[in-house]
Amino acid sequence: MTVRLFDSLSRELIEVSPVDGETVKIYSCGPTVYRYIHIGNMRSFMLGDLIRRALRFEGRNVQWIMNITDVGHMTDEVSDTGRDKMELAEADEGLSATEIAEKYTNAFLEDSDLVGIERADLYPRATQHIDEMIDLIKILIDKGHAYEVDGTVYYDVTTFPGYGKLSGNTLAQLRAGHRQEVAVDPAKRHPEDFALWKKAGPNRALKWPSPWGDGFPGWHIECSAMSMKHLGERFDIHTGGNDNKFPHHEDEIAQSEGAVGHQVVSIWAHGGFLQMSGAKMAKSAKNVYRVTDLVEQGIDPLAFRMLCLGTRYRSEMDFSWEALEGQNRRLADLRRRVASWGDAAAELSEPARELDERFREAVADDLDMPRALVVLNETVASKLPGGEKVALLSTWDDVLALDLLREARERWEPTDEMRALVAERDEARASKDYAKSDELRDRLQGMGLEVMDTAAGTQVRPRT
Ligand code: AMP
Ligand code: ZN
């Protein structure tokens, strides 16, 4: 079964097939790290993780990277005084810009762990790729796509005929909008041009030398430079939240394709927003929660993941505490049931295989997780032997990542035979008979166990 994803650019479902013939390469727009990320951001970050899991589920090799924005975000993140939000956070918290970035990057990673996002293969930082961004800007100037005015470099959008193809914000559309506006930067050739590099003002501390003088990069150029550096000039999937389509990804396409002269990203996948009672969840609206806020309310953070899986990733989703508490109870109940079904069966009957097929088809069909959860519910309620249900759910958990076997693991006890082998192994180790101890370890592993050497001797538990 081949995973199909909705491509926001062609507005079609596209089969995922790696351009290099080997590894599916995914780039996700990551967090801006001058503040804690909220559960809305988390919903968008989960999309990259879910795509990776779905692809692995069908046996693909996957490389997933997510950038960390630790400078820039100039359109909305630079305050009126011309200081980077990183710098303002620095002043507020008495930490250096590097320490702020470190603090919120770590918090972001810990929160990601809590909602079952497996760590990406790489988290490239914008501040560590300034040279690559400068090189890309130089290429864009050489190719006539960009121009410098007094230390600031702009992208000339009229040189890229496809501008607007992702978001629908074509130049004609944008111009109609601009007529109503008053202030347009007089240095720009066209009001729609956007900055690739910005001259540092007198208050600016976070700045770097460049061929155009001291300055700092635009937010969009960071993702063009880092995605192509780490994934190559053609890669498979680029993710972000819906709000990233414009201007961020529209500008990224103009930059990357302008520089290399061909399509770079095969599939653009965008996630719908998480809303609070119909309003956008945003720090400015003061309706944001962190994952740790859920934990403080006694909620298992994976219940939030389950809540998200209940809505198709492209749709907007309304957050409510009632719905979250409902999922929290459901998840606990599900884990209790799994624990009551005993060990996983080695073989699946025909009806179980059919359910597995339907689950896989739902996942492959543009991540139709609500449908996959319906199959899960049917399985739980079915008359299949418990062992087969455990076998199915434990496999499906590679995608769901709800830790469905948690209670089964906690309740698990070794059999008498396992206890005897463990005791025999501890004796062998005590008498330094390592050949025998290794042989016993292999036998225990052959029973599906993980074997750990601890200070208290051999410990075993079911392999997950
Ligand atoms: P930021 O740190 O502001 O750059 O945001 C990081 C990511 O979170 C971006 O990809 C946004 O599209 C996404 N995002 C921001 N707010 C929400 C929300 N309420 N629901 C879903 N995604 C969001
Ligand atoms: Zn980005």
Side-chain angles (χ1 to χ4, degrees), residues 139-166:
I139 293 172
L140 288 169
I141 293 176
D142 286 350
K143 292 201 166 181
H145 285 301
Y147 57 95
E148 186 216 335
V149 182
D150 186 29
T152 292
V153 182
Y154 294 101
Y155 190 102
D156 179 341
V157 288
T158 63
T159 65
F160 188 74
Y163 196 78
K165 62 183 174 180
L166 175 71

Side-chain angles (χ1 to χ4, degrees), residues 27-30 67 69 219-220 222-224 238-239 244 248-249 252:
Y27 183 92
S28 294
C29 284
N67 70 298
T69 301
W219 172 36
H220 319 307
E222 119 185 26
C223 287
S224 284
H238 196 311
T239 79
N244 288 152
H248 189 49
H249 292 162
E252 183 177 331

